[in-house]
């Protein structure tokens, strides 16, 4: 990520919090196998530190019973960038280990949310059906404000949505979340290589992702490198927005880039 130090100014340097097994498809089987635990994965710490994705290990299944009923999480909502990063890291750890709490879904909380919301993070992610932020980070109703476009592409509506969360709701953290095997990035790379135009509005996506294409690599390596480069580009554009930059400068906001690895279910920060 291009301006990590600026994003965390005033919050101190925090250890790495995101990382871990191979997805499949097919109803309930997909939901079960998607989240195999990574034994020996790097531990997710108290902040969101830069790291490479952990290598997948032999998948294991957590046999610890889940709670019979959902309980309300009464802990204070994260109010600083560092606190928000720690909460997302903890949720991703639970997701990877089959220990999801599914917080903030009980009837009382649902009634409370009818009168207002206080999300602690904006997640700008891809539309890919395999990467729903609320599941990946094990968060519940009212926790995350999610904005999803193919390839995390920005437009005025996306910029306005992120700005609303930060400026109107005082959200302290924005995460640009790319992911392994992104179809939009692949389409952009292949369209550039072949010189073909995509139909209808899809060409807009290609044009926006184009500047991030890594031309120093070939084949699948180029696509994978472009996924990360695109996250960094989008993060930099968001962090450069004047009103967001002002909040970053005072330590009230962090804008970070991260990747979700489909093969391990780990989220790790892009430096």
């Amino acid at each position: 990520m291009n301006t990590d130090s600026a994003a965390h100014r005033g919050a101190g340097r925090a250890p790495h919090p995101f990382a871990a097994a191979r997805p499949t498809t097919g109803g309930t089987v997909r939901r079960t196998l998607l989240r195999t635990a990574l034994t020996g994965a790097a531990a997710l710490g108290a902040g969101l530190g830069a790291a490479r994705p952990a290598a997948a290990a032999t998948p294991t299944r957590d046999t610890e019973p889940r709670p019979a009923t959902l309980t309300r999480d009464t802990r204070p909502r994260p109010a600083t960038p560092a606190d928000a990063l720690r909460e997302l890291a903890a949720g991703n750890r639970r997701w990877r280990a089959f220990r999801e709490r599914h917080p903030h879904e009980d009837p009382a909380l649902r009634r409370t949310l009818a009168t207002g919301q206080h999300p602690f993070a904006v997640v700008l992610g891809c539309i890919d059906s395999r990467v729903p932020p609320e599941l990946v980070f094990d968060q519940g109703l009212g926790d995350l404000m999610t904005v999803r476009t193919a390839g995390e592409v920005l437009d005025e509506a996306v910029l306005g949505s992120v700005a609303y969360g930060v400026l109107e709701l005082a959200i302290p953290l924005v995460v640009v979340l790319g992911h392994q095997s992104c179809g939009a990035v692949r389409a952009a790379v292949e369209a550039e290589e072949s010189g073909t135009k995509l139909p209808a509005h899809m060409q807009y996506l290609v044009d926006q992702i184009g500047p991030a294409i890594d031309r120093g690599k070939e084949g699948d390596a180029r696509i994978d490198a472009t996924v990360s480069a695109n996250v960094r580009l989008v993060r930099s554009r968001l962090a450069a927005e004047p009103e967001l930059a002002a909040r970053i400068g005072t330590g009230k906001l962090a804008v970070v880039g991260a990747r979700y690895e489909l093969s391990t279910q780990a989220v790790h920060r892009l430096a």
Side-chain angles (χ1 to χ4, degrees), residues 56-258:
T58 302
T60 60
R61 178 161 183 179
D62 191 331
T63 57
E64 187 174 298
R66 296 183 183 181
T69 58
L70 299 173
T71 58
R72 186 171 181 179
D73 189 342
T74 58
R75 292 173 301 171
R77 305 286 263 184
T80 68
D83 288 344
L85 288 167
R86 278 190 286 268
E87 179 57 36
L88 292 184
N92 184 239
R93 282 200 303 273
R94 296 193 300 270
W95 164 256
R96 288 166 23 234
F98 299 98
R99 294 177 180 172
E100 300 97 316
R101 293 176 182 168
H102 303 288
H104 301 143
E105 297 179 13
D106 60 278
L109 188 280
R110 296 184 194 190
R111 289 191 293 271
T112 299
L113 288 175
T115 60
Q117 61 171 327
H118 303 283
F120 67 86
V122 175
V123 179
L124 170 56
C126 184
I127 61 172
D128 195 293
S129 62
R130 300 166 293 179
V131 195
E134 288 85 355
L135 296 184
V136 167
F137 293 116
D138 189 29
Q139 299 301 315
L141 299 173
D143 292 333
L144 304 181
M145 178 171 285
T146 59
V147 184
R148 301 179 68 177
T149 64
E152 307 88 56
V153 164
L154 295 176
D155 61 15
E156 283 301 310
V158 174
L159 289 168
S161 298
V162 173
Y164 176 81
V166 172
L167 303 177
E168 295 297 318
L169 300 181
I171 292 175
L173 176 67
V174 177
V175 177
V176 180
L177 183 64
H179 66 93
Q180 179 184 14
S181 302
C182 179
V185 169
R186 176 178 291 276
V189 171
E190 292 179 348
E192 187 202 59
E193 292 174 346
S194 66
T196 59
K197 293 288 186 180
L198 271 66
H201 301 287
M202 288 188 288
Q203 184 61 39
Y204 176 80
L205 303 175
V206 169
D207 294 340
Q208 293 297 306
I209 296 171
I213 293 176
D214 189 323
R215 294 169 180 84
K217 294 182 173 62
E218 300 293 337
D220 288 343
R222 169 176 288 179
I223 294 168
D224 191 70
T226 300
V227 168
S228 297
N230 185 56
V231 169
R232 294 186 180 102
L233 177 63
V234 173
R235 194 220 75 91
S236 295
R237 287 182 60 188
L238 283 174
E241 287 292 311
E243 290 173 309
L244 302 188
R247 294 184 70 84
I248 291 171
T250 61
K252 295 179 179 179
L253 174 69
V255 181
V256 305

Side-chain angles (χ1 to χ4, degrees), residues 14-19 43-50 85-86 88-90 92-93 96 267-269:
H16 163 59
F18 285 148
L44 290 166
L48 183 57
L85 288 167
R86 278 190 286 268
L88 292 184
N92 184 239
R93 282 200 303 273
R96 288 166 23 234
V267 178
H268 63 97
R269 180 177 170 185

